[in-house]
Amino acid sequence: FFSAGNLLASGVLLAAGLVHQLPESIGKLRISIETRFPVATFVTGLTFCGFLILEEYLHTHFTHGNQHGHDSHSGHGGHQSDIDGRGHPYKDG
């Protein structure tokens, strides 16, 4: 539970910082860049999505990549499993 508490606390602190800093960034960028497009908000959202994609990639690469060689989904007792050795559904042909 301690790890989940740390994650929750860090998320709250990051969200509070973002909520308090974003309006100031919007104001300063609106003055320096004369456009009606919300540049600061767009960059914030794009950065969030980029970190989310990076985290998911790294999570998938480092957790599922280490499971090769473990044949936990193979069929037992002479019957054929519906999942192949790579964790994908087995397809005939």
Side-chain angles (χ1 to χ4, degrees):
F1 291 110
F2 183 70
S3 178
N6 279 338
L7 291 173
L8 181 65
S10 64
V12 167
L13 290 173
L14 286 173
L18 179 67
V19 166
H20 288 290
Q21 293 295 322
L22 191 58
E24 185 177 337
S25 299
I26 290 171
K28 286 186 178 185
L29 277 175
R30 190 169 289 158
I31 292 171
S32 63
I33 300 174
E34 295 182 18
T35 181
R36 295 183 56 90
F37 185 74
V39 177
T41 308
F42 178 73
V43 170
T44 302
L46 193 63
T47 304
F48 177 78
C49 290
F51 276 114
L52 179 64
I53 291 168
L54 177 67
E55 180 184 356
E56 288 297 319
Y57 170 75
L58 292 175
H59 176 72
T60 302
H61 180 73
F62 287 112
T63 57
H64 298 299
N66 293 334
Q67 294 179 359
H68 295 291
H70 300 284
D71 199 14
S72 61
H73 295 292
S74 64
H76 298 286
H79 67 278
Q80 188 174 12
S81 176
D82 59 347
I83 299 177
D84 68 4
R86 297 173 300 205
H88 302 289
Y90 180 79
K91 295 179 183 177
D92 286 344

